[in-house]
Amino acid sequence: MPEFRTVRGMRDFLPDEARIMKYVESKARGVAELYGYKEVMTPLVESYELLATKAGEEVRLRMFSFKDLGGRMIALRPEFTPSIARLVATTLRNEPKPFRLFCLGSLYRYDEPQRGRYREFWQSDFELVGSDKPEADAEIVLLTNSLMNGAGLKNCVFKVGHVGVIRGVLSEEKLEDKVQNAVLQLMDKKQYEDALRLVKDSGISEKCLALLQNLVNLKGNDVFEITKKMKEHVGHYEKAMAAADNLSSILRLIVESGCKIEMRVEAGFARGLEYYTGMIFEVYVPELDVALSGGGRYDKLVELFGGESTPAVGVANGIDRIMLAMQEQKVKLDEAGEKRVVVISVGEETKAEALRISCMLRNSNITVEFEVMGRKMAKALEDADRRKMDCAVIVGKRELEQGAVVLKDLKKREQTTVGIAELAKTIRG
Ligand code: HAM
């Protein structure tokens, strides 16, 4: 037999890593709870067409897609948003809005594996469906910030923009949607020269080209100064002006909410996914050069999938990358410090009673590992020490006759005889 390995781009999570991943997931669930987002579970496999329609070239080309045995073209989900839009366009179409929906799970993209970029990764995804108001956009940014804080991350920077600004200019200049998409794809990859060349080749005036160049260079942390300049630049393009206005309303709400969020506005910021229609954002920490989260407004997707015209805004947070950032920043997990107990039976005849005591402790929510290797007492205790257990419950015939067991504190190296009825309380201390 060959030596089997994980498939390229796929990883095993050993207990220490799995623990942090689950920790981040629990923080995401906590945020969902706090903001009133209800969890939904959508399939890992969807029709290729649903996932590809507005994915944008980058994601579309990297989908794990194949024909199933029935000849249908399907794909592993590269993101949650199309599944949510499908749900809203179909099963949930008659439900009162807004919906606050939350998903958590694995996604698949045939990305080139490198640090922070995997072929299987996890997202927590939040979608606020049914509102076109700036407070909805603000809520998505605020909850993303709550998650970053909850995960204990410091120095997060939110890069913010609005696809309506560049698209507004390009569509008023009568550039076809297809070309607009290609321009924004290039901008997403920071290939601004190529993007502007494409615009130029489409026959746009020098004046407009100069304006786009100015927009691409316009960025900074003084968010109101930048949006003011944005408006000055695009003044005579009505749609672009409305987009810049919308962005400043969203930013004002975020700033005036009192939450301290470090934001940086970039007028030439674009995201690879094609469904965005409004505000877009990504979250970075200084230790990593890839985004931890990305999101934005997509007001046309539900309609495209056959539903009513339904505005929506959302964000997906990369659980793997948040974990990586936590490791880089050496974040300490604030896990409940529950005691870990090993239960050891001294002899064959006390095993059943030792199992009964284990069940009793677990019923009191105490983590118990039962000694299953048949080791002698000294070896069993040595092993418990190696695994950093807090205490050992030693079940022997002599103590059992008194309704008691020996409780050994493995940290303090002390032992006492404790009545079984008081055992759980004594362990808790
Ligand atoms: P996205 O920017 O493609 O947006 O992905 C969101 C996050 O998923 C990224 O910021 C990153 O943390 C994580 N991610 C993406 N690809 C990988 C990868 N290959 N390896 C590890 N992590 C990765 C979306 O998926 C949109 N659906 C977000 C959204 C929701 N927009 C509106 N609603």
Side-chain angles (χ1 to χ4, degrees), residues 88-306:
V88 173
T90 56
T91 321
L92 299 176
R93 71 188 314 155
N94 297 321
E95 297 292 317
K97 315 272 184 317
F99 302 133
R100 287 185 167 90
L101 301 176
F102 167 73
C103 298
L104 209 157
S106 60
L107 295 305
Y108 300 83
R109 295 184 193 176
Y110 206 81
D111 276 329
E112 200 42 42
Q114 51 190 281
R115 203 166 95 101
R117 200 177 289 283
Y118 314 104
R119 291 187 177 169
E120 180 185 51
F121 59 96
W122 275 257
Q123 285 182 348
S124 68
D125 181 275
F126 296 80
E127 308 287 356
L128 176 43
V129 182
S131 166
D132 62 359
K133 300 281 180 283
E135 49 270 38
D137 303 68
E139 175 171 308
I140 289 293
V141 171
L142 292 175
L143 72 76
T144 306
N145 186 53
S146 297
L147 177 58
M148 298 301 147
N149 289 339
L153 291 175
K154 302 265 174 315
N155 306 321
C156 293
V157 178
F158 283 61
K159 180 163 108 179
V160 189
H162 196 301
V163 291
V165 177
I166 304 265
R167 272 201 196 270
V169 173
L170 297 181
S171 59
E172 280 181 52
E173 290 288 334
K174 308 270 178 303
L175 232 74
E176 280 176 48
D177 265 4
K178 224 171 95 190
V179 184
Q180 286 186 32
N181 291 343
V183 170
L184 291 175
Q185 288 287 335
L186 288 168
M187 287 192 168
D188 173 46
K189 287 189 250 163
K190 300 200 171 52
Q191 296 170 359
Y192 295 112
E193 270 181 32
D194 294 341
L196 293 178
R197 194 169 313 118
L198 185 57
V199 175
K200 191 173 176 195
D201 292 346
S202 311
I204 253 173
S205 69
E206 284 297 328
K207 201 169 148 225
C208 177
L209 210 58
L211 161 79
L212 288 171
Q213 181 69 65
N214 282 336
L215 285 178
V216 164
N217 294 338
L218 184 59
K219 51 182 98 162
N221 295 46
D222 187 342
V223 297
F224 297 120
E225 184 58 27
I226 301 293
T227 43
K228 190 169 139 236
K229 285 198 179 137
M230 220 186 253
K231 286 190 223 170
E232 284 164 12
H233 283 312
V234 298
H236 50 291
Y237 290 95
E238 222 175 282
K239 284 187 190 154
M241 186 67 176
D245 255 337
N246 174 245
L247 181 59
S248 50
S249 310
I250 296 166
L251 294 171
R252 195 160 296 287
L253 283 174
I254 296 171
V255 170
E256 290 178 1
S257 76
C259 285
K260 297 266 169 290
I261 303 184
E262 169 137 14
M263 289 188 286
R264 176 182 171 80
V265 173
E266 295 196 6
F269 169 35
R271 291 197 8 92
L273 297 156
E274 265 165 24
Y275 46 66
Y276 291 117
T277 54
M279 182 274 300
I280 48 172
F281 72 104
E282 282 174 355
V283 183
Y284 290 85
V285 283
E287 293 81 1
L288 291 180
D289 56 3
V290 284
L292 304 189
S293 302
R297 172 166 288 284
Y298 54 101
D299 287 347
K300 299 275 187 281
L301 196 59
V302 176
E303 199 176 331
L304 189 74
F305 291 166

